[in-house]
Amino acid sequence: MADLGRVADNRSGPEGLIEQRGYVMLNRRSVLRGLAAVPGAAALAGLGAGTARADFETVIDPTADRGAWEGWGTSLSWWAKAIGPDPKLADALFGRGTVQLLGQTLPGLGMNIVRYNAGASGTNSIGGRTMKPAPSIDGYKQIEGYQLDWFNDDPSSTSWNWYADANQRDMMWMARDRGADIFELFSNSPMWWMLRNDDPRGYDAGWTSNLQDGNYGRHAAHLATIARYAHDHWGIDFRSVQPVNEPAQPWTPETGRGQEGCFLIPASRRDSSVRPAPSSTPVACPGWKSRPWTRTTSTTP
């Protein structure tokens, strides 16, 4: 719990990051002023004179019971690593009061759902074997993992480093302390040393699983250990665990878009060996833009 006391210098917070990178912040008022300056004819240019028709019509029934709305939230990757545990930003995202940020008085968004990314990267060597250099991984997208090697499953052993990934973990604590109450653990890629090519960006040939055949159970145990450790030592109970994220993308070192990722064939995603947590913790389906694909490949036989 020593990391609980870590608080970043405000100069490394969002103001400094935005100023250094030259970001321009637009607000609703400035956008409306710009639109108001456009002549009416120009603003309407390109609009057809015909009657608009919808391809699909629906009626909202306010009496229909579609379940409870549990809240809304954010994934901490990768902005939490880039910015660090900034109290003002945490107040703006997860608090419900007003906060002074970027020279403005803003209302807290009150987000209560947080997705925490278990990293796949590492700088250690295992018998001379190291993670493949990944110059295309942006620094803030390369998340340091907790499990250093496969020698010992005991989380108190030297095979584990629980001081890794401090920025993201600290922001998760800040979210919890401001009212966030739903947490999900997810993985973009298994640990680099579980992979065929030691590269968490993906396998050299697309549409090929980068996870070694003998490491499916080890990947599941790795995530289960993180979830247990979070409960025992961090005061965080993950509501669900997502062992793979966007697994239908043909992740390769060249097409990985500068991030960790791992393609998994549908059969392996349905295999019970990738279920990472005790039966009391739900396993979340892999996020993907195709609902039929996700539904088909997430069904446990």
Side-chain angles (χ1 to χ4, degrees), residues 3-293:
D3 288 336
L4 273 170
R6 298 181 70 259
V7 178
D9 188 318
N10 283 338
R11 290 172 297 178
S12 65
E15 292 95 341
L17 187 69
I18 290 174
E19 290 172 1
Q20 291 170 14
R21 296 185 177 179
Y23 290 170
V24 176
M25 187 173 186
L26 295 177
N27 56 35
R28 181 178 59 183
R29 187 173 300 173
S30 64
V31 172
L32 291 177
R33 281 200 302 265
L35 291 176
V38 178
L44 296 176
L47 293 180
T51 303
R53 297 183 181 277
D55 294 330
F56 175 76
E57 295 182 1
T58 187
V59 177
I60 299 176
D61 181 3
T63 64
D65 183 2
R66 300 184 182 275
W69 180 269
E70 294 188 295
W72 70 318
T74 180
S75 169
L76 296 180
S77 65
W78 304 280
W79 62 268
K81 177 182 177 180
I83 297 177
D86 187 279
K88 288 185 179 180
L89 184 58
D91 288 341
L93 293 175
F94 306 108
R96 292 181 178 272
T98 57
V99 59
Q100 294 294 323
L101 186 67
L102 299 174
Q104 301 183 63
T105 300
L106 302 172
L109 296 177
M111 291 182 177
N112 69 304
I113 301 175
V114 174
R115 297 185 78 226
Y116 178 83
N117 178 209
S121 299
T123 58
N124 61 302
S125 174
I126 307 174
R129 179 182 165 197
T130 59
M131 187 181 85
K132 272 192 176 179
S136 69
I137 290 187
D138 297 323
Y140 67 96
K141 294 181 181 179
Q142 187 166 313
I143 306 299
E144 187 178 6
Y146 292 110
Q147 191 172 8
L148 302 178
D149 54 52
W150 61 86
F151 300 143
N152 199 325
D153 294 333
D154 184 349
S156 65
S157 71
T158 56
S159 289
W160 299 80
N161 174 24
W162 297 108
Y163 293 97
D165 193 28
N167 278 3
Q168 191 184 187
R169 187 173 61 256
D170 288 351
M171 183 56 78
M172 179 168 61
W173 278 324
M174 286 187 169
R176 178 202 60 189
D177 294 344
R178 286 160 177 77
D181 56 1
I182 298 177
F183 299 89
E184 179 172 89
L185 174 67
F186 77 98
S187 169
N188 285 324
S189 167
M191 286 299 303
W192 66 268
W193 48 264
M194 298 183 191
L195 306 175
R196 298 178 187 273
N197 63 353
D198 296 339
D199 193 334
R201 295 173 299 173
Y203 194 58
D204 305 277
W207 309 108
T208 303
S209 173
N210 201 17
L211 181 58
Q212 295 177 5
D213 292 340
N215 279 334
Y216 282 84
R218 184 167 279 126
H219 175 51
H222 162 241
L223 293 178
T225 301
I226 295 174
R228 170 66 70 175
Y229 195 92
H231 170 80
D232 294 343
H233 299 276
W234 298 347
I236 298 290
D237 287 317
F238 288 112
R239 169 84 72 87
S240 57
V241 179
Q242 186 186 57
V244 291
N245 187 58
E246 298 182 354
Q249 180 77 18
W251 298 100
T252 69
E254 289 72 30
T255 63
R257 300 193 182 98
Q259 69 164 85
E260 300 170 348
C262 184
F263 173 82
L264 289 174
I265 60 176
S268 65
R269 291 199 290 275
R270 292 197 303 266
D271 195 301
S272 60
S273 65
V274 300
R275 295 184 63 85
S279 58
S280 59
T281 303
V283 175
C285 68
W288 185 239
K289 59 189 176 184
S290 168
R291 284 185 296 174
W293 177 282

